[in-house]
């Protein structure tokens, strides 16, 4: 039954996305204003999360919303599945996500990524990618948009240690803003690729912000240690509350849609 629900979700996800493809000519005629593109992206993401909840039975709960800094800053999150790339648009409205340029090839959503705009980098040249990432991140912050990066560089399976790739520490130093570590366990329900595999409740933990001013080495050590400790804490809470795996225990906890 789980496989059938997953396939049904995949089909409905495709149809929902196609509807937003129909809006592209109209938005283009209007000049593709970024605020409108981001609003439509959030509507799309909210619809996908609603489909996940209704068809698959996959929801999420947040911890630590009080740690979100009033001034937009840097967000670093572990990466286990496609889920967090969708949910980030709702968890952090107007977010600018650092992503690889190859994602522009995705039908429909590639257009929305370009015109949001997100921070798209070419990983073929590390030095050029770092410079471009820094410039675009500063531009996003100047517009009041938080910047989200997955510092591990790729999706990692549940149980693998959190280890940052090079470059994130330089972004931390260059931006000079508070950094919000985020830990989630989406990989328990949605694997490294494909469609979601089971129902349940994804935990999203927003941790104590890391203030600017640390050395690059100390920032990396501090962030990795805090995130790894939260991975263990999430597991302990899950073992203490076995019912947390049941999708009916929580409803999607998402901020109100903002234009």
């Amino acid at each position: 039954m789980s496989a059938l629900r997953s396939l049904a979700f995949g089909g409905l996800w495709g149809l929902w996305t196609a509807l937003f493809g129909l809006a592209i000519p109209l938005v283009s005629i209007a000049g593709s204003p970024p605020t409108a593109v981001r609003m439509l992206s959030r509507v799309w993401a909210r619809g996908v999360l609603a489909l996940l909840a209704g068809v698959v039975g996959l929801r999420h709960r947040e911890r630590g919303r009080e740690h979100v800094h009033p001034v937009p800053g840097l967000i670093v999150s572990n990466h286990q599945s496609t889920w967090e790339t969708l949910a980030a648009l709702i968890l952090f409205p107007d977010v600018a996500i650092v992503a690889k340029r190859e994602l522009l090839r995705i039908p429909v959503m590639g257009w929305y990524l370009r015109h949001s705009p997100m921070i798209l980098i070419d990983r073929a040249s590390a030095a050029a990618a770092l410079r471009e990432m820094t410039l675009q991140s500063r531009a996003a912050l100047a517009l009041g948009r938080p910047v989200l990066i997955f510092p591990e560089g790729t999706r990692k399976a549940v149980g693998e240690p959190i280890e940052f790739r090079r470059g994130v520490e330089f972004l931390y130093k260059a931006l000079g803003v508070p950094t919000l570590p985020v830990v989630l366990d989406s990989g328990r329900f949605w694997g490294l690729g494909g469609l979601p595999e089971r129902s349940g409740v994804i935990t999203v933990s927003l941790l104590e912000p890391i203030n600017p001013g640390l050395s690059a080495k100390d920032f990396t050590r501090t962030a990795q240690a805090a995130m790894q400790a939260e991975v263990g804490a999430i597991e302990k809470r899950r073992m203490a509350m076995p019912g947390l795996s049941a999708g009916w225990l929580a409803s999607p906890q998402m901020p109100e849609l903002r234009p």
Side-chain angles (χ1 to χ4, degrees), residues 67-229:
H67 292 146
V68 176
H69 201 277
V71 177
L74 180 64
I75 303 167
V76 294
S77 173
N78 64 327
H79 194 12
Q80 295 184 343
S81 75
T82 300
W83 182 86
E84 49 268 23
T85 60
L86 305 170
L89 301 175
I90 303 301
L91 295 170
F92 308 105
D94 287 332
V95 69
I97 303 174
V98 178
K100 55 188 179 182
R101 188 167 292 275
E102 299 93 288
L103 295 179
L104 292 177
R105 301 172 188 162
I106 299 176
V108 180
M109 293 320 300
W111 185 91
Y112 282 90
L113 286 172
R114 181 186 294 278
H115 293 87
S116 291
M118 295 302 177
I119 300 171
L120 302 166
I121 58 174
D122 183 358
R123 296 191 296 187
S125 174
L130 183 57
R131 286 194 300 271
E132 187 63 24
M133 180 173 64
T134 301
L135 288 173
Q136 292 188 49
S137 295
R138 284 173 172 162
L141 290 172
L143 293 173
R145 301 177 64 195
V147 174
L148 168 63
I149 186 169
F150 298 109
E152 296 170 291
T154 188
R155 301 171 197 170
K156 297 180 70 175
V158 174
E160 290 191 52
I162 293 177
E163 295 178 343
F164 292 4
R165 287 190 177 181
R166 295 297 304 276
V168 180
E169 71 275 23
F170 297 111
L171 188 61
Y172 162 80
K173 293 287 289 182
L175 297 181
V177 294
T179 298
L180 177 72
V182 176
V183 177
L184 45 86
D185 63 348
S186 61
R188 294 187 178 279
F189 312 96
W190 192 331
L192 298 178
L195 295 170
E197 298 169 353
R198 60 183 63 88
S199 63
V201 182
I202 295 170
T203 298
V204 181
S205 294
L206 314 179
L207 308 183
E208 190 80 31
I210 300 172
N211 290 323
L214 296 179
S215 68
K217 183 177 181 180
D218 285 344
F219 163 73
T220 300
R221 182 169 56 242
T222 300
Q224 287 184 166
M227 293 172 72
Q228 193 65 58

Side-chain angles (χ1 to χ4, degrees), residues 231-250:
V231 168
I234 290 174
E235 178 61 20
K236 287 182 180 179
R237 289 193 294 267
R238 188 172 295 280
M239 292 179 66
M241 299 176 62
L244 201 60
S245 300
W248 56 267
L249 274 181

